[in-house]
Amino acid sequence: MALYNLQISDGRFSIQPNLSYYTKIKTFLAGIFLCYAVVPFLPIAHDIKVALYIFAAGLCCYVVYEFLFLANVTMIFDQGTRKVYKKTPGIYTKTLMDFEEIRLVNDTSYGELTYTIGAKNTRFINSYPISEPFSNTKKGHREQLEYETTILGPLMEFVK
């Protein structure tokens, strides 16, 4: 699936579970651009302009955070070391767990199904999402089925 940037090569299985954040990032960037490009020419009070600039600056910080720490995160399953890694490009690579500790958890804590992985002994304390939330609609069920067949099935076979 292109949405998860699935790559299988050299005993490594990698996915990017949060690629849908890019759509939200692009929308926020358009809003930030409009704020800084249009607000100076509007006939409104100076205090309102300053408030809009502060709001846009906060939105910039939020976009940078999402881009660095959420959208680019890659989950790497390495057969050579039999470990799972969480990689944030250019910042760090964290070892999460061994293949023997992996437990698939269906997380529905926010009302939508999300597949997460957690260690067997702490699966509810430290769990890491490996999919987007799937809504309870026809489109959500179709996306869930596609995810299960193209990514989840091969991932569980890869980990065994």
Side-chain angles (χ1 to χ4, degrees), residues 32-51:
I32 292 166
F33 174 76
L34 285 175
C35 186
Y36 285 118
V38 175
V39 168
F41 303 108
L42 293 177
I44 54 177
H46 179 70
D47 294 343
I48 294 173
K49 287 182 181 181
V50 169

mmCIF file with all atom_site columns, all heavy atoms in Angstrom, residues 32-51:
data_model
loop_
_atom_site.group_PDB
_atom_site.id
_atom_site.type_symbol
_atom_site.label_atom_id
_atom_site.label_alt_id
_atom_site.label_comp_id
_atom_site.label_asym_id
_atom_site.label_entity_id
_atom_site.label_seq_id
_atom_site.pdbx_PDB_ins_code
_atom_site.Cartn_x
_atom_site.Cartn_y
_atom_site.Cartn_z
_atom_site.occupancy
_atom_site.B_iso_or_equiv
_atom_site.pdbx_formal_charge
_atom_site.auth_seq_id
_atom_site.auth_comp_id
_atom_site.auth_asym_id
_atom_site.auth_atom_id
_atom_site.pdbx_PDB_model_num
ATOM 1   N N   . ILE A 1 32 ? -1.305  28.734 7.204  1.00 0.00 ? 32 ILE A N   1
ATOM 2   C CA  . ILE A 1 32 ? -0.238  29.595 7.702  1.00 0.00 ? 32 ILE A CA  1
ATOM 3   C C   . ILE A 1 32 ? 0.168   30.601 6.624  1.00 0.00 ? 32 ILE A C   1
ATOM 4   O O   . ILE A 1 32 ? 0.323   31.796 6.894  1.00 0.00 ? 32 ILE A O   1
ATOM 5   C CB  . ILE A 1 32 ? 0.975   28.752 8.148  1.00 0.00 ? 32 ILE A CB  1
ATOM 6   C CG1 . ILE A 1 32 ? 0.623   27.943 9.381  1.00 0.00 ? 32 ILE A CG1 1
ATOM 7   C CG2 . ILE A 1 32 ? 2.186   29.630 8.408  1.00 0.00 ? 32 ILE A CG2 1
ATOM 8   C CD1 . ILE A 1 32 ? 1.619   26.838 9.698  1.00 0.00 ? 32 ILE A CD1 1
ATOM 9   N N   . PHE A 1 33 ? 0.318   30.113 5.389  1.00 0.00 ? 33 PHE A N   1
ATOM 10  C CA  . PHE A 1 33 ? 0.680   30.998 4.291  1.00 0.00 ? 33 PHE A CA  1
ATOM 11  C C   . PHE A 1 33 ? -0.372  32.083 4.106  1.00 0.00 ? 33 PHE A C   1
ATOM 12  O O   . PHE A 1 33 ? -0.040  33.270 3.949  1.00 0.00 ? 33 PHE A O   1
ATOM 13  C CB  . PHE A 1 33 ? 0.861   30.200 2.997  1.00 0.00 ? 33 PHE A CB  1
ATOM 14  C CG  . PHE A 1 33 ? 1.090   31.066 1.802  1.00 0.00 ? 33 PHE A CG  1
ATOM 15  C CD1 . PHE A 1 33 ? 2.326   31.657 1.590  1.00 0.00 ? 33 PHE A CD1 1
ATOM 16  C CD2 . PHE A 1 33 ? 0.059   31.305 0.895  1.00 0.00 ? 33 PHE A CD2 1
ATOM 17  C CE1 . PHE A 1 33 ? 2.547   32.472 0.496  1.00 0.00 ? 33 PHE A CE1 1
ATOM 18  C CE2 . PHE A 1 33 ? 0.270   32.108 -0.195 1.00 0.00 ? 33 PHE A CE2 1
ATOM 19  C CZ  . PHE A 1 33 ? 1.510   32.703 -0.409 1.00 0.00 ? 33 PHE A CZ  1
ATOM 20  N N   . LEU A 1 34 ? -1.643  31.688 4.120  1.00 0.00 ? 34 LEU A N   1
ATOM 21  C CA  . LEU A 1 34 ? -2.711  32.674 3.966  1.00 0.00 ? 34 LEU A CA  1
ATOM 22  C C   . LEU A 1 34 ? -2.699  33.697 5.101  1.00 0.00 ? 34 LEU A C   1
ATOM 23  O O   . LEU A 1 34 ? -2.921  34.890 4.875  1.00 0.00 ? 34 LEU A O   1
ATOM 24  C CB  . LEU A 1 34 ? -4.076  31.987 3.897  1.00 0.00 ? 34 LEU A CB  1
ATOM 25  C CG  . LEU A 1 34 ? -4.400  31.300 2.583  1.00 0.00 ? 34 LEU A CG  1
ATOM 26  C CD1 . LEU A 1 34 ? -5.731  30.559 2.686  1.00 0.00 ? 34 LEU A CD1 1
ATOM 27  C CD2 . LEU A 1 34 ? -4.447  32.304 1.450  1.00 0.00 ? 34 LEU A CD2 1
ATOM 28  N N   . CYS A 1 35 ? -2.429  33.219 6.296  1.00 0.00 ? 35 CYS A N   1
ATOM 29  C CA  . CYS A 1 35 ? -2.411  34.128 7.437  1.00 0.00 ? 35 CYS A CA  1
ATOM 30  C C   . CYS A 1 35 ? -1.329  35.193 7.275  1.00 0.00 ? 35 CYS A C   1
ATOM 31  O O   . CYS A 1 35 ? -1.579  36.384 7.456  1.00 0.00 ? 35 CYS A O   1
ATOM 32  C CB  . CYS A 1 35 ? -2.198  33.341 8.724  1.00 0.00 ? 35 CYS A CB  1
ATOM 33  S SG  . CYS A 1 35 ? -2.334  34.356 10.200 1.00 0.00 ? 35 CYS A SG  1
ATOM 34  N N   . TYR A 1 36 ? -0.133  34.775 6.906  1.00 0.00 ? 36 TYR A N   1
ATOM 35  C CA  . TYR A 1 36 ? 0.965   35.725 6.774  1.00 0.00 ? 36 TYR A CA  1
ATOM 36  C C   . TYR A 1 36 ? 0.905   36.534 5.480  1.00 0.00 ? 36 TYR A C   1
ATOM 37  O O   . TYR A 1 36 ? 1.463   37.628 5.399  1.00 0.00 ? 36 TYR A O   1
ATOM 38  C CB  . TYR A 1 36 ? 2.314   35.022 6.883  1.00 0.00 ? 36 TYR A CB  1
ATOM 39  C CG  . TYR A 1 36 ? 2.656   34.643 8.302  1.00 0.00 ? 36 TYR A CG  1
ATOM 40  C CD1 . TYR A 1 36 ? 2.836   33.318 8.661  1.00 0.00 ? 36 TYR A CD1 1
ATOM 41  C CD2 . TYR A 1 36 ? 2.794   35.607 9.289  1.00 0.00 ? 36 TYR A CD2 1
ATOM 42  C CE1 . TYR A 1 36 ? 3.151   32.960 9.954  1.00 0.00 ? 36 TYR A CE1 1
ATOM 43  C CE2 . TYR A 1 36 ? 3.098   35.262 10.586 1.00 0.00 ? 36 TYR A CE2 1
ATOM 44  C CZ  . TYR A 1 36 ? 3.276   33.942 10.911 1.00 0.00 ? 36 TYR A CZ  1
ATOM 45  O OH  . TYR A 1 36 ? 3.579   33.603 12.204 1.00 0.00 ? 36 TYR A OH  1
ATOM 46  N N   . ALA A 1 37 ? 0.215   36.030 4.454  1.00 0.00 ? 37 ALA A N   1
ATOM 47  C CA  . ALA A 1 37 ? 0.152   36.744 3.184  1.00 0.00 ? 37 ALA A CA  1
ATOM 48  C C   . ALA A 1 37 ? -1.050  37.681 3.086  1.00 0.00 ? 37 ALA A C   1
ATOM 49  O O   . ALA A 1 37 ? -0.975  38.711 2.416  1.00 0.00 ? 37 ALA A O   1
ATOM 50  C CB  . ALA A 1 37 ? 0.107   35.741 2.037  1.00 0.00 ? 37 ALA A CB  1
ATOM 51  N N   . VAL A 1 38 ? -2.148  37.341 3.746  1.00 0.00 ? 38 VAL A N   1
ATOM 52  C CA  . VAL A 1 38 ? -3.374  38.116 3.599  1.00 0.00 ? 38 VAL A CA  1
ATOM 53  C C   . VAL A 1 38 ? -3.613  39.088 4.754  1.00 0.00 ? 38 VAL A C   1
ATOM 54  O O   . VAL A 1 38 ? -4.050  40.223 4.538  1.00 0.00 ? 38 VAL A O   1
ATOM 55  C CB  . VAL A 1 38 ? -4.587  37.159 3.443  1.00 0.00 ? 38 VAL A CB  1
ATOM 56  C CG1 . VAL A 1 38 ? -5.887  37.911 3.418  1.00 0.00 ? 38 VAL A CG1 1
ATOM 57  C CG2 . VAL A 1 38 ? -4.420  36.323 2.189  1.00 0.00 ? 38 VAL A CG2 1
ATOM 58  N N   . VAL A 1 39 ? -3.311  38.682 5.955  1.00 0.00 ? 39 VAL A N   1
ATOM 59  C CA  . VAL A 1 39 ? -3.624  39.491 7.137  1.00 0.00 ? 39 VAL A CA  1
ATOM 60  C C   . VAL A 1 39 ? -3.006  40.890 7.089  1.00 0.00 ? 39 VAL A C   1
ATOM 61  O O   . VAL A 1 39 ? -3.663  41.863 7.489  1.00 0.00 ? 39 VAL A O   1
ATOM 62  C CB  . VAL A 1 39 ? -3.230  38.735 8.431  1.00 0.00 ? 39 VAL A CB  1
ATOM 63  C CG1 . VAL A 1 39 ? -3.274  39.646 9.647  1.00 0.00 ? 39 VAL A CG1 1
ATOM 64  C CG2 . VAL A 1 39 ? -4.156  37.552 8.628  1.00 0.00 ? 39 VAL A CG2 1
ATOM 65  N N   . PRO A 1 40 ? -1.780  41.084 6.603  1.00 0.00 ? 40 PRO A N   1
ATOM 66  C CA  . PRO A 1 40 ? -1.239  42.452 6.588  1.00 0.00 ? 40 PRO A CA  1
ATOM 67  C C   . PRO A 1 40 ? -2.059  43.435 5.750  1.00 0.00 ? 40 PRO A C   1
ATOM 68  O O   . PRO A 1 40 ? -2.007  44.646 5.987  1.00 0.00 ? 40 PRO A O   1
ATOM 69  C CB  . PRO A 1 40 ? 0.153   42.294 5.980  1.00 0.00 ? 40 PRO A CB  1
ATOM 70  C CG  . PRO A 1 40 ? 0.506   40.879 6.161  1.00 0.00 ? 40 PRO A CG  1
ATOM 71  C CD  . PRO A 1 40 ? -0.774  40.121 6.165  1.00 0.00 ? 40 PRO A CD  1
ATOM 72  N N   . PHE A 1 41 ? -2.825  42.938 4.793  1.00 0.00 ? 41 PHE A N   1
ATOM 73  C CA  . PHE A 1 41 ? -3.575  43.815 3.907  1.00 0.00 ? 41 PHE A CA  1
ATOM 74  C C   . PHE A 1 41 ? -5.041  43.971 4.314  1.00 0.00 ? 41 PHE A C   1
ATOM 75  O O   . PHE A 1 41 ? -5.788  44.693 3.650  1.00 0.00 ? 41 PHE A O   1
ATOM 76  C CB  . PHE A 1 41 ? -3.494  43.285 2.467  1.00 0.00 ? 41 PHE A CB  1
ATOM 77  C CG  . PHE A 1 41 ? -2.080  43.155 1.990  1.00 0.00 ? 41 PHE A CG  1
ATOM 78  C CD1 . PHE A 1 41 ? -1.504  41.907 1.833  1.00 0.00 ? 41 PHE A CD1 1
ATOM 79  C CD2 . PHE A 1 41 ? -1.320  44.285 1.739  1.00 0.00 ? 41 PHE A CD2 1
ATOM 80  C CE1 . PHE A 1 41 ? -0.202  41.780 1.405  1.00 0.00 ? 41 PHE A CE1 1
ATOM 81  C CE2 . PHE A 1 41 ? -0.002  44.178 1.311  1.00 0.00 ? 41 PHE A CE2 1
ATOM 82  C CZ  . PHE A 1 41 ? 0.560   42.921 1.147  1.00 0.00 ? 41 PHE A CZ  1
ATOM 83  N N   . LEU A 1 42 ? -5.467  43.314 5.371  1.00 0.00 ? 42 LEU A N   1
ATOM 84  C CA  . LEU A 1 42 ? -6.847  43.416 5.832  1.00 0.00 ? 42 LEU A CA  1
ATOM 85  C C   . LEU A 1 42 ? -7.026  44.668 6.692  1.00 0.00 ? 42 LEU A C   1
ATOM 86  O O   . LEU A 1 42 ? -6.158  45.020 7.494  1.00 0.00 ? 42 LEU A O   1
ATOM 87  C CB  . LEU A 1 42 ? -7.237  42.178 6.639  1.00 0.00 ? 42 LEU A CB  1
ATOM 88  C CG  . LEU A 1 42 ? -7.326  40.865 5.875  1.00 0.00 ? 42 LEU A CG  1
ATOM 89  C CD1 . LEU A 1 42 ? -7.657  39.727 6.839  1.00 0.00 ? 42 LEU A CD1 1
ATOM 90  C CD2 . LEU A 1 42 ? -8.366  40.931 4.790  1.00 0.00 ? 42 LEU A CD2 1
ATOM 91  N N   . PRO A 1 43 ? -8.174  45.331 6.563  1.00 0.00 ? 43 PRO A N   1
ATOM 92  C CA  . PRO A 1 43 ? -8.421  46.528 7.377  1.00 0.00 ? 43 PRO A CA  1
ATOM 93  C C   . PRO A 1 43 ? -9.000  46.152 8.751  1.00 0.00 ? 43 PRO A C   1
ATOM 94  O O   . PRO A 1 43 ? -10.175 46.382 9.047  1.00 0.00 ? 43 PRO A O   1
ATOM 95  C CB  . PRO A 1 43 ? -9.432  47.313 6.541  1.00 0.00 ? 43 PRO A CB  1
ATOM 96  C CG  . PRO A 1 43 ? -10.187 46.247 5.806  1.00 0.00 ? 43 PRO A CG  1
ATOM 97  C CD  . PRO A 1 43 ? -9.196  45.154 5.538  1.00 0.00 ? 43 PRO A CD  1
ATOM 98  N N   . ILE A 1 44 ? -8.162  45.526 9.577  1.00 0.00 ? 44 ILE A N   1
ATOM 99  C CA  . ILE A 1 44 ? -8.593  45.134 10.922 1.00 0.00 ? 44 ILE A CA  1
ATOM 100 C C   . ILE A 1 44 ? -7.643  45.751 11.938 1.00 0.00 ? 44 ILE A C   1
ATOM 101 O O   . ILE A 1 44 ? -6.567  46.243 11.594 1.00 0.00 ? 44 ILE A O   1
ATOM 102 C CB  . ILE A 1 44 ? -8.647  43.598 11.086 1.00 0.00 ? 44 ILE A CB  1
ATOM 103 C CG1 . ILE A 1 44 ? -7.303  42.954 10.712 1.00 0.00 ? 44 ILE A CG1 1
ATOM 104 C CG2 . ILE A 1 44 ? -9.759  43.004 10.246 1.00 0.00 ? 44 ILE A CG2 1
ATOM 105 C CD1 . ILE A 1 44 ? -7.262  41.455 10.910 1.00 0.00 ? 44 ILE A CD1 1
ATOM 106 N N   . ALA A 1 45 ? -8.037  45.700 13.179 1.00 0.00 ? 45 ALA A N   1
ATOM 107 C CA  . ALA A 1 45 ? -7.250  46.306 14.253 1.00 0.00 ? 45 ALA A CA  1
ATOM 108 C C   . ALA A 1 45 ? -5.900  45.603 14.398 1.00 0.00 ? 45 ALA A C   1
ATOM 109 O O   . ALA A 1 45 ? -5.748  44.413 14.096 1.00 0.00 ? 45 ALA A O   1
ATOM 110 C CB  . ALA A 1 45 ? -8.020  46.244 15.565 1.00 0.00 ? 45 ALA A CB  1
ATOM 111 N N   . HIS A 1 46 ? -4.934  46.366 14.866 1.00 0.00 ? 46 HIS A N   1
ATOM 112 C CA  . HIS A 1 46 ? -3.578  45.852 15.042 1.00 0.00 ? 46 HIS A CA  1
ATOM 113 C C   . HIS A 1 46 ? -3.545  44.682 16.034 1.00 0.00 ? 46 HIS A C   1
ATOM 114 O O   . HIS A 1 46 ? -2.809  43.713 15.833 1.00 0.00 ? 46 HIS A O   1
ATOM 115 C CB  . HIS A 1 46 ? -2.661  46.982 15.519 1.00 0.00 ? 46 HIS A CB  1
ATOM 116 C CG  . HIS A 1 46 ? -1.257  46.551 15.757 1.00 0.00 ? 46 HIS A CG  1
ATOM 117 N ND1 . HIS A 1 46 ? -0.403  46.212 14.732 1.00 0.00 ? 46 HIS A ND1 1
ATOM 118 C CD2 . HIS A 1 46 ? -0.557  46.359 16.912 1.00 0.00 ? 46 HIS A CD2 1
ATOM 119 C CE1 . HIS A 1 46 ? 0.758   45.851 15.236 1.00 0.00 ? 46 HIS A CE1 1
ATOM 120 N NE2 . HIS A 1 46 ? 0.683   45.939 16.555 1.00 0.00 ? 46 HIS A NE2 1
ATOM 121 N N   . ASP A 1 47 ? -4.336  44.777 17.107 1.00 0.00 ? 47 ASP A N   1
ATOM 122 C CA  . ASP A 1 47 ? -4.365  43.699 18.106 1.00 0.00 ? 47 ASP A CA  1
ATOM 123 C C   . ASP A 1 47 ? -4.852  42.379 17.503 1.00 0.00 ? 47 ASP A C   1
ATOM 124 O O   . ASP A 1 47 ? -4.344  41.307 17.838 1.00 0.00 ? 47 ASP A O   1
ATOM 125 C CB  . ASP A 1 47 ? -5.261  44.085 19.287 1.00 0.00 ? 47 ASP A CB  1
ATOM 126 C CG  . ASP A 1 47 ? -4.712  45.253 20.074 1.00 0.00 ? 47 ASP A CG  1
ATOM 127 O OD1 . ASP A 1 47 ? -3.504  45.555 19.916 1.00 0.00 ? 47 ASP A OD1 1
ATOM 128 O OD2 . ASP A 1 47 ? -5.477  45.875 20.829 1.00 0.00 ? 47 ASP A OD2 1
ATOM 129 N N   . ILE A 1 48 ? -5.817  42.443 16.618 1.00 0.00 ? 48 ILE A N   1
ATOM 130 C CA  . ILE A 1 48 ? -6.330  41.228 15.979 1.00 0.00 ? 48 ILE A CA  1
ATOM 131 C C   . ILE A 1 48 ? -5.270  40.654 15.040 1.00 0.00 ? 48 ILE A C   1
ATOM 132 O O   . ILE A 1 48 ? -5.081  39.431 14.978 1.00 0.00 ? 48 ILE A O   1
ATOM 133 C CB  . ILE A 1 48 ? -7.646  41.523 15.229 1.00 0.00 ? 48 ILE A CB  1
ATOM 134 C CG1 . ILE A 1 48 ? -8.720  41.908 16.249 1.00 0.00 ? 48 ILE A CG1 1
ATOM 135 C CG2 . ILE A 1 48 ? -8.099  40.324 14.418 1.00 0.00 ? 48 ILE A CG2 1
ATOM 136 C CD1 . ILE A 1 48 ? -10.014 42.371 15.631 1.00 0.00 ? 48 ILE A CD1 1
ATOM 137 N N   . LYS A 1 49 ? -4.558  41.527 14.335 1.00 0.00 ? 49 LYS A N   1
ATOM 138 C CA  . LYS A 1 49 ? -3.475  41.061 13.470 1.00 0.00 ? 49 LYS A CA  1
ATOM 139 C C   . LYS A 1 49 ? -2.404  40.335 14.281 1.00 0.00 ? 49 LYS A C   1
ATOM 140 O O   . LYS A 1 49 ? -1.927  39.270 13.887 1.00 0.00 ? 49 LYS A O   1
ATOM 141 C CB  . LYS A 1 49 ? -2.845  42.223 12.707 1.00 0.00 ? 49 LYS A CB  1
ATOM 142 C CG  . LYS A 1 49 ? -3.688  42.769 11.592 1.00 0.00 ? 49 LYS A CG  1
ATOM 143 C CD  . LYS A 1 49 ? -2.960  43.875 10.858 1.00 0.00 ? 49 LYS A CD  1
ATOM 144 C CE  . LYS A 1 49 ? -3.830  44.443 9.760  1.00 0.00 ? 49 LYS A CE  1
ATOM 145 N NZ  . LYS A 1 49 ? -3.149  45.513 9.014  1.00 0.00 ? 49 LYS A NZ  1
ATOM 146 N N   . VAL A 1 50 ? -2.026  40.902 15.420 1.00 0.00 ? 50 VAL A N   1
ATOM 147 C CA  . VAL A 1 50 ? -1.017  40.274 16.276 1.00 0.00 ? 50 VAL A CA  1
ATOM 148 C C   . VAL A 1 50 ? -1.512  38.919 16.771 1.00 0.00 ? 50 VAL A C   1
ATOM 149 O O   . VAL A 1 50 ? -0.754  37.942 16.785 1.00 0.00 ? 50 VAL A O   1
ATOM 150 C CB  . VAL A 1 50 ? -0.647  41.205 17.452 1.00 0.00 ? 50 VAL A CB  1
ATOM 151 C CG1 . VAL A 1 50 ? 0.192   40.478 18.486 1.00 0.00 ? 50 VAL A CG1 1
ATOM 152 C CG2 . VAL A 1 50 ? 0.070   42.441 16.947 1.00 0.00 ? 50 VAL A CG2 1
ATOM 153 N N   . ALA A 1 51 ? -2.780  38.847 17.151 1.00 0.00 ? 51 ALA A N   1
ATOM 154 C CA  . ALA A 1 51 ? -3.344  37.581 17.616 1.00 0.00 ? 51 ALA A CA  1
ATOM 155 C C   . ALA A 1 51 ? -3.313  36.534 16.495 1.00 0.00 ? 51 ALA A C   1
ATOM 156 O O   . ALA A 1 51 ? -2.991  35.363 16.736 1.00 0.00 ? 51 ALA A O   1
ATOM 157 C CB  . ALA A 1 51 ? -4.764  37.785 18.113 1.00 0.00 ? 51 ALA A CB  1
#
